[in-house]
Amino acid sequence: EDEPALVSMRNWDIPVFPVRGQDLVDIGFKPSPKIGYTLDILRTAWAHEQGTVSKEDLLRCVTPETRFE
């Protein structure tokens, strides 16, 4: 008989990061390395929230003018 934790892991749906580079282009980002950097920042925030933040909420956090210092 399987351990409860193993059963839980087998039944767990791994969340998929919802934002793509094209999503950033669609809201006005120019194709550039900034897209990759912005995706990294958004992915970190999303992971910090255990993958529960929606694509729409993530995209509301950034604009093409957003600066990450």
Side-chain angles (χ1 to χ4, degrees):
E1 188 169 307
D2 288 333
E3 297 280 332
L6 183 58
V7 171
S8 178
M9 286 177 57
R10 285 185 181 146
N11 294 328
W12 183 53
D13 289 327
I14 299 171
V16 176
F17 181 62
V19 179
R20 303 286 177 252
Q22 185 61 49
D23 297 318
L24 297 177
V25 171
D26 291 346
I27 64 169
F29 280 72
K30 302 268 189 266
S32 71
K34 185 175 181 180
I35 287 179
Y37 187 70
T38 302
L39 287 171
D40 287 344
I41 296 292
L42 292 175
R43 189 176 291 110
T44 299
W46 178 80
H48 182 74
E49 296 298 324
Q50 288 85 41
T52 61
V53 182
S54 71
K55 174 180 174 177
E56 293 75 19
D57 286 342
L58 288 167
L59 291 176
R60 276 194 279 273
C61 294
V62 294
T63 69
E65 293 78 32
T66 301
R67 297 180 56 87
F68 302 103
E69 308 279 336

